[in-house]
Amino acid sequence: MAASGILPTTQQRYVNGVPLSTARKTLRMKEKYVILLVFVTFGSVCFGAIFFLPDLRERVNVSEMRKHMQNVDTIIFPKPGEGGDNLSPGKGKILRHDNNGIDSHKIDDKERLRKQMEIQWEQEKMAEAVAKRLNMSKDDTKKVQGEILGEKERILQKKKEIEDQQKEEEMEKLKEVQKDHEGGFGAKGGEPKDAQAAERREEIRQMMLHAWNNYVKHSWGANELRPISKRGHSASIFGTLSLGATIVDAADTLYIMGLEEEYKKARDWIATSLTFEGSSELSVFETNIRFVGGLLSLYGLTGDQVYKTKAKNIADKLLPAFKTATGIPQSMVNTKTGSSRNWGWASGGCSILAEFGSFHLEFAYLTEITGDQTYLEKVMKIRETLNSLEKPNGLYPNYLNPRTGRWGQQHTSIGALGDSFYEYLLKSWILSGKKDTQAREMYDAAVRAIDEKLVKTSQGGLRYVAEFKSGRIENKMDHLGCFSGGMFALGAEGSDNAEKYLKLGADITNTCHESYDRSATKLGPEAFRFDGNTEAKSIRQNEKYYILRPEVIEGYFYMWRITKEQKYRDWAWEAAQALNKHCRVEGGFSGVRDVYQEKPSLDDVQQSFFLAETLKYLYLIFSDDDLIPLDKWVFNTEAHPFPVKAA
Ligand code: DMJ
């Protein structure tokens, strides 16, 4: 059939400059081929101009390029759902990968395969259309397809070269920051020389695998696992969204334990599925310490850019909560509208000391690695407000009104509501390479007041940190307050009396161990008291539960690292055995309702901090000190290590 309409029928034709006497209405094969090649070249140039040249001009904008590619996807290919999922190319459909089913080892290969299939499908369609128009044979069509494929591969190759170069440049920049924060890349090893420690460390790794694998199996993507009913669980602090809290909280522990396959699975989920774009009201504090802290720690450990970007995006969602007259953030924020408010139960609409006082590590490090001053400004404003206030007896009350800047109810505690505020003063100083002397001075003053006013000794000789409530001392200590044993010991160096504070740390850790040892399960209660004959035991039913919390084991970790006394490893092993005996079930680990019962009933929740903190501290206790050394790393309050700035 004639290819009518391509050349005007009256056009004079020449061969080697000699006019031909007859006019012809059809094209020879060679001519068709040449025309087709012109199409191919034109098509390739357009392809390159649209997707490639803009990036060449801007040099480093690979994410823009990616956006272009994604847009093209949705124009050329049907969206998942329109054409089904795993469908073959060539039928107007493309093989797509479901995030949940990703084999983490093969993600790069899959991406390459996807691109190749897209190219091939596009090339086939283009060539088919032109060949039909030119009435070409199948063989010639194939040849042209090859030409198109070659061109596109060359363009993609060039694009990849630019992406690689950009990655290299980013790694160089990161190394500059890391030079300052010496923790630097990677933190693996710590293989113990001691054979018993090695065996125990391996047992802790197996416990982590049991907790993680069950989460993966029964509640992947949910915030937490219900290990008995074997389904997802979410506490109100995470709002209504499934944010994979366990994945983000556990990932650095997996990395540190060298569980590579599991770590990669977590990393891929974070890269592809972690988003705070939905509408939900979240706890600003919990989101910061678990999500922002977890991601920043992963960035510090691996240098992987994806964590920095995600941490920044999530931190930005929290910023509206800081828009108050004093700069003291409110407790909850709506991720969509940005509206924020305080807990209904908090005295007079106040913000909570432990919450608004636990942003400094994350926000200072975020400013450091992004160069964006916003985050540091926010936490410095909090500090400025606190410094302008008078502290009753040198103590910080747990409640502060973010509008008036006045203290609320006079309740001071190193446990619930107060705890990590003190921790962050000390650790901000450490993170800064000991340059943030203002933080150190605030810490020293606060601890001096606590030591004078709240540290008590029981009749049986146990030292504890009491609470001050409604004008009187309450002889009670929370499990949460047991972290302070480690904090006092860590803060001894750099204080005006290292021996005194190291002893205080050891005494508090000993008391917290007693609270475990005096129970039937050898696990400690949520709170314990010192009243009359009661020593380090709960008397109220609603204080007898244990929800897999880390603070006592955290205390053993610091005491072990600082003193190297074997008893801390032994106590940690007692706790690990008790966890296996009473909390381990087929579907993971669960909290218990009453530590004083031989066979306690279970609460059916595997808290994300069990994987982030409890198991991480246990593992580090049985590792040698070159794994996360304390002069190079500092842990946030959720046990996520950040690299310390060089002194
Ligand atoms: C963790 O989320 C953090 O340690 C926080 O500071 C208070 N306690 C829980 C675990 O007990």
Side-chain angles (χ1 to χ4, degrees), residues 371-417:
D372 185 338
Q373 295 304 309
T374 310
Y375 312 102
L376 185 62
E377 280 165 16
K378 298 287 177 216
V379 286
M380 290 312 286
K381 175 74 185 147
I382 296 174
R383 194 182 278 180
E384 187 190 308
T385 299
L386 282 175
N387 271 331
S388 70
L389 294 174
E390 203 186 310
K391 286 97 197 156
N393 292 319
L395 296 171
Y396 286 82
N398 289 337
Y399 298 102
L400 181 62
N401 190 308
R403 284 169 292 280
T404 63
R406 289 209 197 95
W407 297 114
Q409 193 195 338
Q410 301 278 303
H411 176 201
T412 298
S413 162
I414 202 145
L417 309 177

Side-chain angles (χ1 to χ4, degrees), residues 237 249 285-286 289-290 354 358 419-420 423-424 479-480 483 526 547-551 554 607-610 613-614 617 636-639:
I237 50 168
D249 237 4
F285 159 77
E286 298 288 355
I289 65 167
R290 300 188 200 212
S358 305
D419 50 7
S420 43
E423 177 184 1
Y424 270 40
H479 191 289
L480 287 165
F483 90 95
E526 179 67 2
I547 56 168
L548 306 173
R549 287 197 191 278
E551 292 78 16
E554 179 181 346
Q607 306 277 346
S608 77
F609 52 66
F610 180 63
E613 302 190 67
T614 312
Y617 286 129
N636 86 339
T637 192
E638 189 78 359

Side-chain angles (χ1 to χ4, degrees), residues 550-562:
E551 292 78 16
V552 175
I553 291 168
E554 179 181 346
Y556 301 160
F557 164 71
Y558 284 104
M559 293 312 301
W560 162 253
R561 278 281 175 100
I562 294 166

Side-chain angles (χ1 to χ4, degrees), residues 467-624:
E467 297 189 11
F468 183 76
K469 205 172 180 181
S470 315
R472 64 179 193 91
I473 290 288
E474 191 175 15
N475 292 298
K476 164 203 164 218
M477 200 168 163
D478 288 339
H479 191 289
L480 287 165
C482 284
F483 90 95
S484 65
M487 179 184 75
F488 294 136
L490 183 67
E493 192 208 308
S495 72
D496 58 5
N497 192 339
E499 207 182 312
K500 170 175 145 180
Y501 288 110
L502 187 56
K503 171 141 177 30
L504 179 59
D507 288 348
I508 298 299
T509 307
N510 178 60
T511 300
C512 291
H513 172 252
E514 287 298 319
S515 79
Y516 274 49
D517 205 41
R518 294 173 188 210
S519 78
T521 54
K522 303 291 172 200
L523 294 166
E526 179 67 2
F528 46 91
R529 295 177 181 265
F530 302 85
D531 274 335
N533 290 334
T534 304
E535 296 241 339
K537 282 191 84 170
S538 288
I539 37 177
R540 300 186 184 173
Q541 193 54 40
N542 65 358
E543 293 173 346
K544 293 183 178 172
Y545 61 88
Y546 170 70
I547 56 168
L548 306 173
R549 287 197 191 278
E551 292 78 16
V552 175
I553 291 168
E554 179 181 346
Y556 301 160
F557 164 71
Y558 284 104
M559 293 312 301
W560 162 253
R561 278 281 175 100
I562 294 166
T563 68
K564 284 289 166 315
E565 281 182 52
Q566 178 61 28
K567 72 176 175 197
Y568 297 114
R569 271 191 165 169
D570 295 343
W571 291 353
W573 185 240
E574 282 168 17
Q577 286 174 301
L579 282 164
N580 271 334
K581 185 166 173 199
H582 298 287
C583 304
R584 189 178 179 133
V585 290
E586 189 195 47
F589 286 86
S590 165
V592 304
R593 293 217 169 88
D594 185 344
V595 295
Y596 299 106
Q597 292 192 349
E598 287 287 349
K599 288 205 180 335
S601 69
L602 303 173
D603 69 6
D604 197 14
V605 178
Q606 180 175 282
Q607 306 277 346
S608 77
F609 52 66
F610 180 63
L611 294 90
E613 302 190 67
T614 312
L615 291 174
K616 188 185 284 138
Y617 286 129
L618 278 171
Y619 186 78
L620 290 174
I621 289 170
F622 297 112
S623 299
D624 277 358

